[in-house]
Amino acid sequence: MRSHKVIEIRNLTSSTYVIRMEKNDFTFKTGQYITLGFSGSIDRREYSIYSSENDNFLEVLIKEVENGLVSKKLKRCKPGDYLDVDGPFGHFSLEESEIGRKKFLFIATGTGISPIHSFVETHPEMDYQVLHGVRIEEEAYEKDSYPNGKYILCTSREKSGDYHGRVTDYLMKNPIPSDTVCYLCGNCHMIYEAYDILEKQGISLGPIHTEVYF
């Protein structure tokens, strides 16, 4: 367990925010997650790392959960506070041998974009496309950080995105080349449905990587 000093809080919406902390000597592999909580508290939650391996700070993307104990407390933290970080954990990571020679499709819903943001910030040289499903455009967290043409926003409750509908609707109407390496991160319903769609489109089991957000 390490204590990390909070540098800033970045509010993206009324309920979603990014905490930036000092990185110190913390190392991780892009796609991994940490447990986070106030120093001295037993209450902690798991959050995927949002920042790049190469950044000199550590960031997590958090959505405040109604009746959520930790997410509400963390939203009130301020620069200078100390948070306890444990980890990194997890195996939702890129295969180094594929980064320069494969085409990637990253599919996310909501804050499931967090590890994908870390992927593309760490390896901007990748040949990739991000498909992000949200309800409204406001939830397209920092979409301007992605290069033009690399990020497709699917909005289910308004027509302000690049595609009106769910990411699974987009996948059915826009088949994916069978040699694409796919990473799915978000709610379990999207993952199960997208997994089936991709399999039917000829994506073999090996190239599909998943991480479920509850």
Side-chain angles (χ1 to χ4, degrees):
M1 190 80 66
R2 308 169 181 85
S3 286
H4 291 248
K5 187 177 181 179
V6 175
I7 300 172
E8 70 172 20
I9 311 293
R10 199 159 68 249
N11 290 302
L12 307 186
T13 70
S14 60
S15 61
T16 307
Y17 57 98
V18 173
I19 297 179
R20 177 177 293 187
M21 298 165 278
E22 291 180 346
K23 191 175 187 181
N24 303 331
D25 58 351
F26 187 84
T27 59
F28 67 95
K29 191 171 183 181
T30 180
Q32 291 188 301
Y33 65 91
I34 58 173
T35 62
L36 189 66
F38 275 101
S39 293
S41 172
I42 60 171
D43 299 317
R44 290 180 178 80
R45 291 294 181 272
E46 298 173 352
Y47 298 106
S48 290
I49 298 169
Y50 186 66
S51 48
S52 160
E53 287 180 21
N54 309 315
D55 289 330
N56 61 2
F57 50 79
L58 184 64
E59 287 187 332
V60 288
L61 172 67
I62 301 174
K63 183 175 178 62
E64 186 178 4
V65 178
E66 189 175 355
N67 302 320
L69 183 63
V70 176
S71 62
K72 285 183 177 293
K73 283 184 177 179
L74 289 174
K75 194 169 190 292
R76 297 195 297 268
C77 76
K78 55 188 181 301
D81 287 346
Y82 282 85
L83 301 177
D84 281 347
V85 172
D86 200 12
F89 306 105
H91 305 283
F92 186 66
S93 54
L94 301 169
E95 294 290 339
E96 295 290 337
S97 61
E98 294 179 337
I99 291 172
R101 61 184 185 86
K102 291 281 190 177
K103 167 77 173 177
F104 291 85
L105 176 64
F106 299 119
I107 306 170
T109 52
T111 55
I113 196 72
S114 186
I116 290 167
H117 181 270
S118 181
F119 284 158
V120 303
E121 289 290 312
T122 302
H123 299 286
E125 75 280 9
M126 281 191 301
D127 182 6
Y128 71 89
Q129 187 81 61
V130 174
L131 189 61
H132 190 197
V134 298
R135 296 170 304 167
I136 57 177
E137 186 178 13
E138 182 189 44
E139 298 169 341
Y141 309 122
E142 301 190 314
K143 67 175 183 177
D144 292 337
S145 66
Y146 303 91
N148 286 339
K150 295 289 190 181
Y151 177 96
I152 298 172
L153 179 64
C154 299
T155 50
S156 60
R157 294 193 183 175
E158 60 183 32
K159 296 182 179 180
S160 54
D162 301 302
Y163 178 83
H164 177 51
R166 299 181 303 158
V167 292
T168 46
D169 299 328
Y170 181 91
L171 287 172
M172 285 189 286
K173 293 180 180 179
N174 297 273
I176 307 303
S178 60
D179 59 347
T180 306
V181 179
C182 300
Y183 282 75
L184 284 61
C185 188
N187 72 72
C188 60
H189 301 294
M190 178 279 286
I191 287 178
Y192 296 149
E193 191 175 345
Y195 199 100
D196 288 343
I197 293 168
L198 292 169
E199 269 198 303
K200 288 173 182 175
Q201 291 180 0
I203 306 286
S204 62
L205 290 172
I208 302 178
H209 306 264
T210 63
E211 181 94 331
V212 178
Y213 269 40
F214 295 96

